[in-house]
Amino acid sequence: MALNDIYDARPVQQETAVGAGVQILVLALLGTAIGLGPAGWVTGLVFAAATWAVLSRALHRSGLRTFGPANRVTLGRATLVGGVTALVADSFVSAPPVSLLVGLTAVALLLDGVDGKVARRTGTSTALGARFDMEVDAFLILVLSVYVSLELGPWVLLIGGMRYAFVAAARVAPWLNAPLPPSFARKTVAALQGVCLLLAGADLLPYAGNFAVALLALALLLWSFGRDVVWLWRESRTAVAERSATEPMVLELAAR
């Protein structure tokens, strides 16, 4: 049985290796087009290796026997994000073409949501796929915030770091891990983060305009996270109150 499981899982793991290979190809194309520097190469290769390792482990733990078309779309977006990451890393020591960075980012943002539609239409929605999509989105926002912060200041990093700060806070306050109800407003704010950061980093607006766009993105994000945290806190208080109310009854019935 164990041998069969390993054999069946092998094609799924191979797709992550193909993704890493495509990522290296993207880096090679960038290197040919603009002369990607050492910082970009190293960062891009680390991104490819980390994505392959984390995704392979997640696939192994999930027990999926097929990668699925939606995850392939997400993996394609991840390779674009890896290219953006390499360009941003290179921007610390050189000046990669803004048009190339904007183009890769725009395609990655346009494909966001496509994987979800593909998953629903093909009946291949999984918790792993949803988490993979979310992590790719979050990392793209983090990388874009780093790039924009070079011009507007370190405060922009709050945009990219907020989701990771929330995850870290949930380790200390487990009530933050409770599931949130679906929210169109939350999805809209999340989508606007990438658009606003892309616009702020595209050099299409004057400094004041870029500053205003990034500030708007941060304000919306603070509102969205703040609303969710308040909801989660109220739900946790309600759950505690309900348990406190039922415990005496349970003890009384047990005593009988």
Side-chain angles (χ1 to χ4, degrees):
M1 180 64 72
L3 292 177
N4 289 336
D5 288 342
I6 294 173
Y7 177 78
D8 291 340
R10 191 173 300 168
V12 182
Q13 300 292 346
Q14 287 175 348
E15 297 213 35
T16 64
V18 170
V22 173
Q23 181 69 81
I24 295 173
L25 177 60
V26 169
L27 295 175
L29 292 174
L30 291 176
T32 302
I34 65 169
L36 195 65
W41 267 105
V42 170
T43 304
L45 290 174
V46 169
F47 178 89
T51 301
W52 170 80
V54 172
L55 187 55
S56 295
R57 182 182 179 187
L59 285 168
H60 178 73
R61 295 176 65 180
S62 69
L64 292 178
R65 292 296 181 265
T66 176
F67 196 62
N71 285 333
R72 294 189 185 101
V73 175
T74 308
L75 188 59
R77 286 201 305 116
T79 61
L80 295 176
V81 173
V84 173
T85 303
L87 291 175
V88 171
D90 229 27
S91 68
F92 283 88
V93 293
S94 63
V98 175
S99 58
L100 182 57
L101 189 147
V102 169
L104 288 176
T105 303
V107 175
L109 291 175
L110 287 173
L111 288 176
D112 186 22
V114 172
D115 39 16
K117 292 180 180 179
V118 171
R120 288 188 292 272
R121 289 181 180 180
T122 58
T124 55
S125 299
T126 63
L128 173 63
R131 180 66 181 271
F132 185 25
D133 178 50
M134 181 176 62
E135 294 300 339
V136 171
D137 292 341
F139 193 79
L140 177 58
I141 297 304
L142 176 62
V143 171
L144 290 177
S145 67
V146 170
Y147 180 71
V148 175
S149 71
L150 297 177
E151 179 186 1
L152 300 183
W155 64 270
V156 183
L157 296 175
L158 292 172
I159 298 174
M162 196 169 301
R163 190 256 171 182
Y164 296 99
F166 181 86
V167 172
R171 293 183 177 274
V172 180
W175 54 269
L176 290 171
N177 287 314
L180 287 162
S183 170
F184 178 76
R186 186 188 308 116
K187 292 181 179 179
T188 302
V189 170
L192 284 175
Q193 300 307 303
V195 175
C196 289
L197 288 173
L198 177 62
L199 181 59
D203 284 344
L204 297 176
L205 301 175
Y207 179 88
N210 292 334
F211 191 94
V213 168
L215 188 61
L216 174 63
L218 178 59
L220 289 173
L221 197 61
L222 287 170
W223 170 79
S224 180
F225 269 96
R227 187 184 67 157
D228 287 343
V229 169
V230 170
W231 188 90
L232 290 169
W233 183 81
R234 288 176 176 172
E235 286 296 302
S236 69
R237 295 300 93 192
T238 300
V240 169
E242 290 177 349
R243 285 197 299 269
S244 299
T246 56
E247 281 178 0
M249 298 176 59
V250 172
L251 292 174
E252 182 178 349
L253 291 174
R256 292 179 182 177

